[in-house]
Amino acid sequence: EAQVTQNPRYLITVTGKKLTVTCSQNMNHEYMSWYRQDPGLGLRQIYYSMNVEVTDKGDVPEGYKVSRKEKRNFPLILESPSPNQTSLYFCASSLSTGVWDEQYFGPGTRLTVT
Amino acid sequence: GNSVTQMEGPVTLSEEAFLTINCTYTATGYPSLFWYVQYPGEGLQLLLKATKADDKGSNKGFEATYRKETTSFHLEKGSVQVSDSAVYFCALSDLGGAQKLVFGQGTRLTINP
């Protein structure tokens, strides 16, 4: 089944404890992206990747890192999480970087930082 | 910068009612426009899209028409069902660089039987 998977789905952690949220897609998609969803703000892009070893900042990159060593994986790293990073996170992928391409979203990771 | 504005929610309707969720946008150039739907506990799914002015996207009884003159992409459905209860997001593709979706804030729709 074609899908984007994320792990974990739920995570509660404490301020400053490094964590990684994994994202994997099995559709051989070129483009991958991370968004965060906050009430009243919709989704905002954190980072994106147009191909292996090519990543760039989105609108809200502060406090996050990413890597794209393999085409299928695009982990999101929080080196020192803070409470303002409590949010619902979505990974997405699309076949190419054409602006008309549908993006496929993972099921989301709900992160709480205390 | 590019932006999307959706009507405030939540919206509550009875089954078989007519649905309109308003969406207007601000963008340079001619972006593609999308409606995504998020069912409870799930990620977003593409509902429909339109890539140029006057295009009509449609899927599952939902429709939206790309109106350049009014910079709008309103979502409509003639007869809603309980299963349509979800959060709906209007979005546009940002043409400024990599493919990026700019989302509205989302509209929560609840359909009562």
Side-chain angles (χ1 to χ4, degrees), chain A residues 6-25:
Chain A
Q6 294 179 227
N7 283 292
R9 294 288 311 276
Y10 303 91
L11 179 59
I12 300 174
T13 190
V14 296
T15 299
K17 186 176 181 182
K18 181 180 178 180
L19 66 92
T20 299
V21 183
T22 64
C23 172
S24 183
Q25 50 91 7

Side-chain angles (χ1 to χ4, degrees), chain A residues 35-39 42-44 87-90, chain B residues 38 44 89:
Chain A
Y35 294 89
R36 60 178 288 173
Q37 181 181 8
D38 300 292
L43 280 77
R44 294 175 293 167
S87 188
L88 180 57
Y89 291 86
F90 288 101
Chain B
Q38 183 180 30
L44 281 73
F89 291 93

Side-chain angles (χ1 to χ4, degrees), chain B residues 5-84:
Chain B
T5 303
Q6 288 180 235
M7 67 184 287
E8 293 286 333
V11 174
T12 302
L13 296 172
S14 297
E15 206 164 20
E16 299 183 3
F18 185 86
L19 169 71
T20 299
I21 301 178
N22 290 336
C23 171
T24 58
Y25 67 90
T26 302
T28 53
Y30 303 99
S32 294
L33 301 174
F34 306 83
W35 277 100
Y36 278 81
V37 58
Q38 183 180 30
Y39 297 105
E42 298 183 11
L44 281 73
Q45 305 172 22
L46 179 66
L47 180 60
L48 54 83
K49 69 179 182 183
T51 57
K52 61 183 188 296
D54 299 324
D55 264 4
K56 178 187 282 187
S58 60
N59 186 25
K60 299 182 181 179
F62 291 90
E63 294 182 340
T65 300
Y66 189 142
R67 301 283 188 205
K68 189 163 75 74
E69 64 276 11
T70 54
T71 61
S72 64
F73 193 55
H74 305 319
L75 182 68
E76 296 182 336
K77 186 174 185 182
S79 177
V80 292
Q81 306 300 313
V82 172
S83 57
D84 293 326

